């Protein structure tokens, strides 16, 4: 069922035929959203906005309700909205944004505020909840109605796949299309969702937001662009690096490289027997025709690609152990690679299912300058080049170091599913006219409370650069800890979100 939202009923929920409380709580309040999101701030935030131009009133923003279903601990209703590809209106076209609305059955009939969750990435969809009785979602549902939005290009929000991106045209057209899938566009989409789903009499139409990792970066973008739409902000491993810099990519990778080195040292200290095993693997891969082993999907598993196992193995909770048990499956009889390893390798990689992560990764660090493959340039720096050279490590008998969170240009040669988009990736790396993601002045003067779980030894978000942002953000309170790795929200989400709630609501006092 699709319905167009009349502008004359912008702030009133539609009357439903059924009077059940469930349907009442999950109905979509009707609010028109102009195609041009860059309107006067008062028009964005006021519940009594003046009528807009005819073209704005005719904006194609529809809500589509799917069949409601239940999971343990939550009633789930889906919504799909049509939003502009380009919120500035310069480039024509629309995309779909998919949202799941979760309410705890025990909270039916209560006027709870809304909490919108931003996923990590870039390029990863919102969680698919099968049981809401555990983790951060349980604590959240005690206090909020939860909105799980698939960021544009992921999940069911006009997903970008390694199959369908080719239909967007040549490399230049693909790059232009992809440029509309950054945090600024995601936040504009979220504002459309807020205006549609949060009634004006529910905390004055405002909502709370929670972001993990890149989702936290999105929270700071939201706080920069639409502070009047927010009640409070929560981030986990998601305070962005120095938002005052036009491009912070180089600083990010130079800051994280020593941390990646240290995590390798800790890994081999825990599993010393893996050092000779990894050297043997690298030696075997380098000796293969073409410098690597061709996997069933066409990917060339080279020594340098093998090193990227550190992306998941070094920086997440339990990663050391998972990496160890993966490595021990590598060799089969007859000096061959084990099919068990190949299957596990594929499950560790997300390039085929979440290509935005590779294509837009470095763009999350820039607001106006080209990144020019910052991670690759850092790796080629004399300070790091020999350190992370796997073949030289084998020749010298040193430990082979795994790499951290980085996307390198040669991945578009080695990884089969990325090869068709190498030219588009090069154009994105060279793009120098990215728009702003943050407004440091708004952040500094902000009065919206922010609570952050900040991980001291985070391999993905540099702690020092994050503090550059925190020091210039108005009402931020941080829980700085090395008790968790970057995956804390997944590993102990209930406790972490409970702590953030107490920080933002002054239940926990900090000296």
């Amino acid at each position: 069922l699709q319905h167009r939202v009349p502008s004359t009923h912008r702030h009133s929920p539609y009357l439903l035929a059924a009077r059940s409380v469930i349907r009442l709580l999950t109905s979509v309040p009707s609010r028109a959203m102009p195609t041009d999101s860059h309107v006067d701030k008062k028009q964005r935030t006021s519940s009594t906005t003046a009528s807009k131009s005819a073209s704005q009133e005719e904006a194609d923003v529809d809500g589509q309700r799917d069949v409601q279903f239940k999971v343990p601990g939550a009633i789930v209703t889906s919504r799909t909205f049509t939003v502009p590809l380009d919120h500035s209106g310069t480039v024509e076209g629309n995309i779909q944004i998919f949202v799941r609305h979760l309410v705890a059955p025990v909270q039916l009939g209560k006027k709870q505020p809304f909490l919108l969750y931003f996923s990590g990435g870039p390029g990863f969809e919102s969680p698919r909840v099968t049981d809401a009785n555990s983790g951060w979602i349980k604590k959240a549902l005690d206090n909020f109605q939860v909105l799980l939005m698939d960021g544009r290009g992921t999940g069911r929000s006009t997903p970008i796949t390694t199959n369908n991106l080719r239909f967007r045209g040549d490399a230049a057209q693909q790059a232009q299309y992809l440029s509309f899938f950054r945090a600024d566009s995601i936040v504009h989409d979220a504002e459309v969702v807020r205006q549609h789903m949060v009634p004006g009499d529910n905390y004055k139409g405002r909502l709370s937001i929670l972001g993990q990792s890149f989702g936290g970066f999105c929270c700071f973008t939201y706080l920069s662009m639409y502070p009047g739409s927010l009640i409070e902000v929560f981030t986990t491993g998601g305070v962005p690096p120095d938002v005052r810099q036009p491009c912070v990519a180089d600083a990010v990778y130079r800051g994280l490289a020593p941390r990646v080195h240290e995590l390798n040292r800790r890994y081999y200290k825990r599993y010393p027997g893996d050092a000779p095993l990894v050297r043997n693997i690298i030696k075997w891969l380098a000796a293969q025709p073409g410098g690597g082993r061709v996997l069933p999907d066409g990917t060339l598993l080279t020594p340098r690609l093998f090193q990227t196992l550190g992306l998941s193995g070094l920086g997440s909770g339990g990663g050391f152990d998972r990496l160890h048990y993966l490595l021990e499956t590598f060799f089969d009889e007859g000096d061959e690679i084990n099919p068990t390893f190949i299957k596990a390798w594929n499950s560790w990689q997300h390039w085929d299912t979440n290509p935005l992560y590779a294509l837009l990764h470095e763009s999350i660090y820039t607001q106006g300058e080209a990144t020019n493959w910052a991670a690759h340039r850092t790796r080629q720096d004399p300070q790091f080049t020999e350190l992370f050279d796997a073949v030289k490590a084998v020749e010298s008998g040193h430990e082979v170091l795994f790499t951290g969170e980085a996307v390198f240009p040669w991945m578009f040669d080695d990884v089969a599913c990325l090869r068709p988009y190498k030219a588009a990736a090069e154009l994105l790396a060279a793009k120098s006219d990215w728009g702003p993601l943050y407004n440091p002045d708004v952040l500094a003067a902000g009065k919206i409370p922010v609570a952050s779980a900040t991980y001291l030894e985070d391999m993905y978000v540099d702690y020092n650069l994050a503090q550059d942002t925190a020091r210039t953000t108005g009402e931020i309170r941080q829980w700085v800890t090395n008790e968790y790795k970057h995956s804390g929200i997944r590993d102990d989400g209930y406790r972490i979100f409970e702590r953030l709630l107490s920080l933002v609501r002054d239940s926990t006092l900090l000296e």
Side-chain angles (χ1 to χ4, degrees), residues 145-461:
Q145 302 177 61
V146 175
L147 301 177
L148 299 177
M149 182 182 78
D150 286 346
R152 54 170 53 201
T154 75
R156 292 177 60 183
S157 292
T158 309
I160 292 175
T161 70
T162 52
N163 177 60
N164 68 30
L165 182 56
R166 59 196 170 102
F167 300 128
R168 301 301 173 185
D170 60 22
Q173 292 169 314
Q174 292 168 6
Q176 182 193 46
Y177 182 72
L178 291 166
S179 70
F180 295 114
F181 287 77
R182 294 206 309 159
D184 51 348
S185 296
I186 294 171
V187 166
H188 288 316
D189 296 340
E191 182 65 3
V192 171
V193 170
R194 181 195 68 82
Q195 291 200 23
H196 271 69
M197 297 197 70
V198 183
D201 62 355
N202 187 307
Y203 291 83
K204 298 181 180 180
R206 298 177 300 152
L207 49 62
S208 301
I209 54 176
L210 164 65
Q212 155 66 12
S213 189
F214 168 73
F217 296 9
C218 292
C219 288
F220 274 74
T221 301
Y222 208 143
L223 194 59
S224 295
M225 299 171 72
Y226 298 104
S229 298
L230 301 176
I231 302 170
E232 58 205 352
V233 177
F234 309 96
T235 71
T236 58
V239 176
D242 199 352
V243 298
R244 299 166 300 177
Q245 294 192 34
C247 183
V248 74
D250 287 78
V252 165
Y253 294 113
R254 288 184 176 278
L256 290 175
R259 194 159 302 142
V260 174
H261 187 195
E262 170 61 17
L263 287 169
N264 273 278
R265 185 194 68 79
R266 294 182 189 180
Y267 176 78
Y268 286 119
K269 182 178 181 180
R270 180 178 298 182
Y271 292 108
D274 284 359
L277 171 61
V278 172
R279 283 196 292 269
N280 287 337
I281 291 172
I282 295 299
K283 185 177 180 180
W284 185 87
L285 289 172
Q288 300 303 303
R293 175 60 184 267
V294 179
L295 301 181
D297 69 344
T299 291
L300 184 65
L301 182 56
T302 58
R304 62 191 182 185
L305 187 59
F306 178 84
Q307 288 175 276
T308 64
L309 284 171
L311 172 59
S312 297
L314 296 182
S316 300
F320 281 14
D321 305 313
R322 290 186 295 109
L323 179 58
H324 167 72
Y325 290 122
L326 172 65
L327 295 176
E328 68 179 15
T329 69
F330 186 89
F331 285 112
D332 201 353
E333 293 184 12
D335 195 33
E336 263 297 335
I337 189 171
N338 195 323
T340 301
F341 174 85
I342 294 175
K343 185 173 183 178
W345 165 271
N346 289 333
S347 71
W348 276 53
Q349 310 302 309
H350 299 285
W351 314 118
D352 55 343
T353 56
N354 302 85
L356 279 179
Y357 183 81
L359 289 159
L360 289 180
H361 193 269
E362 289 196 357
S363 76
I364 70 177
Y365 297 123
T366 183
Q367 306 182 81
E369 295 182 1
T371 61
N372 289 320
W373 300 111
H376 184 60
R377 289 186 289 101
T378 298
R379 184 171 176 171
Q380 290 182 317
D381 187 282
Q383 181 181 357
F384 302 112
T385 184
E386 289 195 14
L387 194 64
F388 287 95
D389 189 319
V391 175
K392 286 188 177 180
V394 170
E395 294 172 350
S396 63
H398 293 153
E399 295 170 345
V400 174
L401 300 188
F402 295 98
T403 52
E405 186 181 41
V407 174
F408 303 104
W410 47 257
M411 288 180 171
F412 292 84
D413 296 315
D414 293 0
V415 180
C417 65
L418 295 180
R419 287 175 193 148
Y421 307 112
K422 180 177 181 179
E426 292 287 354
L427 290 172
L428 290 168
K431 181 178 171 64
S432 59
D433 59 349
W434 296 105
L437 296 173
Y438 312 103
N439 187 325
D441 293 335
V442 172
L443 292 175
K447 300 300 181 184
I448 306 301
V450 180
S452 171
T454 302
Y455 307 125
L456 189 61
E457 299 175 349
D458 200 324
M459 189 191 78
Y460 301 84
V461 178

Side-chain angles (χ1 to χ4, degrees), residues 59-87:
D60 186 15
V61 182
D62 299 331
Q64 175 179 317
R65 182 186 312 155
D66 293 342
V67 177
Q68 190 180 82
F69 64 93
K70 296 180 180 180
V71 298
I75 298 167
V76 185
T77 304
S78 303
R79 291 285 187 277
T80 303
F81 302 97
T82 302
V83 301
L85 170 66
D86 174 12
H87 281 276

